[in-house]
Amino acid sequence: ELGDTLGEGLLATDIDGRIVHANAWCTESLGLSNSELVGRMIGDLLAPSDRALYRAHLAVLRQGRTDRVELTLRGREARPVPAYVSIRPMFNADGRLEGHALAFARASEGPSTDPAHDQGELRLREIIEHTSSALYVRTTEHALTYVSPQARRLLGCEQGDVPTSWRDVLSKHPENRLGFDLASNASKTGLRQRPYELELQRRDGTTLWVEVNETPVVQDGRTIEIVGELTDISERRHLEDLLQVELDLGVAIGAARTLEDAARHTLEAANRIREVDAGWLYVVDADSGDLVLVHQVGLSSAFAAAMTRIPASSPRSTLIRGTQRRRLEVVDPEALKAVSYT
């Protein structure tokens, strides 16, 4: 009764988006009775062009944020009712999300002249465009229907160059199979899956790792779309990979019986960190100061033979002992041409 005395609309939905309460403003403005509103999906009241934006906005709200957005409601006979909408998450006593509360204020048909609304829109845009997470909405067939500006930046896409499906941006990393299976399972069952990780490929060919959190939107027992949130975890994955390489190298060197074995494990570890075409490891002869090749990977036979032992006085010894990237070159007698390595 108190809600009916307010000069704005109030709606409450359950976690699936089904309306469980509507005040008098909503019934009068939309031309729908209370019985026509309660039990209806909130998406049915939104213009088709606004539904994806609303789903993306809910993903932001799940981070504990609240703000305003301008949406167009559809009343009786699809009559448009532009409105400013404030959406707040509702939690139960255990802190679990159980639904959303929506407050509506009628907006004019023309451009907004409400400073408070304009500021709210700016805050919302700032949240979506500067959050570390990227938002998207997809169909159960993995077709993308909404991609936030942050998601476009992650993928290196221009505004008009947005992928139509996640299949377009998945790399060939074997871990992607598990993530894709979980995504498909969410589409089939309508149940939220645990977060998973994917390696994506940007437009320029470089790759990045993201953590994916998806929430299925279920209507009448059927999954109609998936709201997703991406977080760039490339730096974390890189550090985890480096730590694993370090642990594996420590075990391998501890079990090595010869210097050659230790050198081989070291080069293999270096190649896991940064893929190289070739590598070699020298030790210094304690008597002569010469460099002695103890292990190499990927060198041509001519290059390896020419580099097996390098006198301490040789310019090549100075290059190899140095810390800068240099180019070494020897003549391969078999190919009758120079072979060089950086």
Side-chain angles (χ1 to χ4, degrees):
E1 293 177 356
L2 178 62
D4 288 341
T5 65
L6 299 177
E8 62 180 16
L10 290 176
L11 281 179
T13 72
D14 62 18
I15 194 169
D16 295 324
R18 194 176 303 277
I19 299 171
V20 296
H21 173 78
N23 74 345
W25 185 99
C26 295
T27 59
E28 294 172 3
S29 298
L30 298 175
L32 299 170
S33 67
N34 191 271
S35 61
E36 289 176 304
L37 287 173
V38 174
R40 195 170 183 173
M41 299 301 294
I42 183 65
D44 294 343
L45 299 180
L46 299 177
S49 59
D50 284 345
R51 290 172 186 170
L53 175 60
Y54 175 74
R55 301 298 184 194
H57 192 68
L58 289 186
V60 173
L61 294 176
R62 290 188 181 97
Q63 301 177 12
R65 301 183 175 120
T66 301
D67 218 308
R68 303 180 77 194
V69 61
E70 186 171 348
L71 300 172
T72 299
L73 305 176
R74 299 192 307 171
R76 185 172 297 281
E77 299 179 354
R79 177 171 54 86
V81 181
Y84 305 139
V85 185
S86 296
I87 313 169
R88 296 178 180 274
M90 297 189 300
F91 300 94
N92 61 20
D94 297 327
R96 184 174 300 176
L97 180 68
E98 62 179 10
H100 293 88
L102 296 84
F104 299 88
R106 185 184 294 273
S108 63
E109 295 291 346
S112 169
T113 58
D114 183 352
H117 168 260
D118 293 341
Q119 188 167 352
E121 287 292 288
L122 289 174
R123 288 200 304 272
L124 174 61
R125 187 178 299 114
E126 184 175 347
I127 287 173
I128 292 179
E129 294 191 2
H130 294 91
T131 179
S132 60
S133 301
L135 309 175
Y136 65 89
V137 179
R138 68 171 177 85
T139 68
T140 56
E141 300 300 322
H142 306 285
L144 294 167
T145 58
Y146 172 80
V147 181
S148 73
Q150 180 69 2
R152 293 199 299 269
R153 284 195 292 271
L154 278 179
L155 299 174
C157 300
E158 299 295 335
Q159 186 165 359
D161 178 32
V162 179
T164 58
S165 169
W166 279 131
R167 294 185 179 92
D168 298 339
V169 294
L170 287 177
S171 74
K172 296 181 180 180
H173 197 286
E175 282 190 39
N176 285 348
R177 183 69 262 173
L178 173 61
F180 197 78
D181 288 345
L182 288 171
S184 298
N185 198 40
S187 299
K188 294 175 183 177
T189 66
L191 299 176
R192 187 171 186 175
Q193 307 296 301
R194 64 176 177 81
Y196 56 88
E197 297 177 1
L198 293 176
E199 185 185 63
L200 305 181
Q201 187 166 0
R202 295 187 180 96
R203 288 301 198 213
D204 62 3
T206 60
T207 58
L208 77 156
W209 280 96
V210 295
E211 181 179 87
V212 183
N213 285 274
E214 290 193 323
T215 301
V217 179
V218 180
Q219 182 175 341
D220 297 328
R222 183 174 62 89
T223 305
I224 58 173
E225 60 186 3
I226 308 289
V227 178
E229 179 182 10
L230 303 177
T231 302
D232 188 348
I233 59 167
S234 300
E235 184 175 353
R236 190 191 81 193
R237 283 290 302 233
H238 179 63
L239 293 176
E240 290 174 352
D241 291 344
L242 288 179
L243 178 60
Q244 189 60 53
V245 169
E246 183 179 356
L247 293 173
D248 293 345
L249 180 58
V251 172
I253 289 182
R257 296 186 177 182
T258 65
L259 182 61
E260 287 76 10
D261 285 341
R264 176 172 55 82
H265 291 313
T266 301
L267 286 177
E268 290 173 351
N271 194 54
R272 285 172 60 185
I273 296 173
R274 182 169 183 264
E275 191 170 334
V276 296
D277 296 318
W280 54 84
L281 190 66
Y282 285 93
V283 295
V284 180
D285 187 307
D287 297 326
S288 65
D290 293 351
L291 297 178
V292 181
L293 181 67
V294 294
H295 190 71
Q296 61 87 13
V297 174
L299 296 179
S300 70
S301 57
F303 197 99
M307 304 286 282
T308 300
R309 190 178 188 94
I310 301 177
S313 59
S314 167
R316 286 181 184 166
S317 176
T318 303
L319 289 176
I320 293 175
R321 290 170 187 265
T323 58
Q324 297 182 4
R325 291 168 60 86
R326 302 294 180 89
R327 182 173 294 276
L328 300 176
E329 186 173 287
V330 297
V331 175
D332 185 340
E334 300 172 1
L336 297 179
K337 64 179 182 180
V339 179
S340 62
Y341 293 89
T342 298

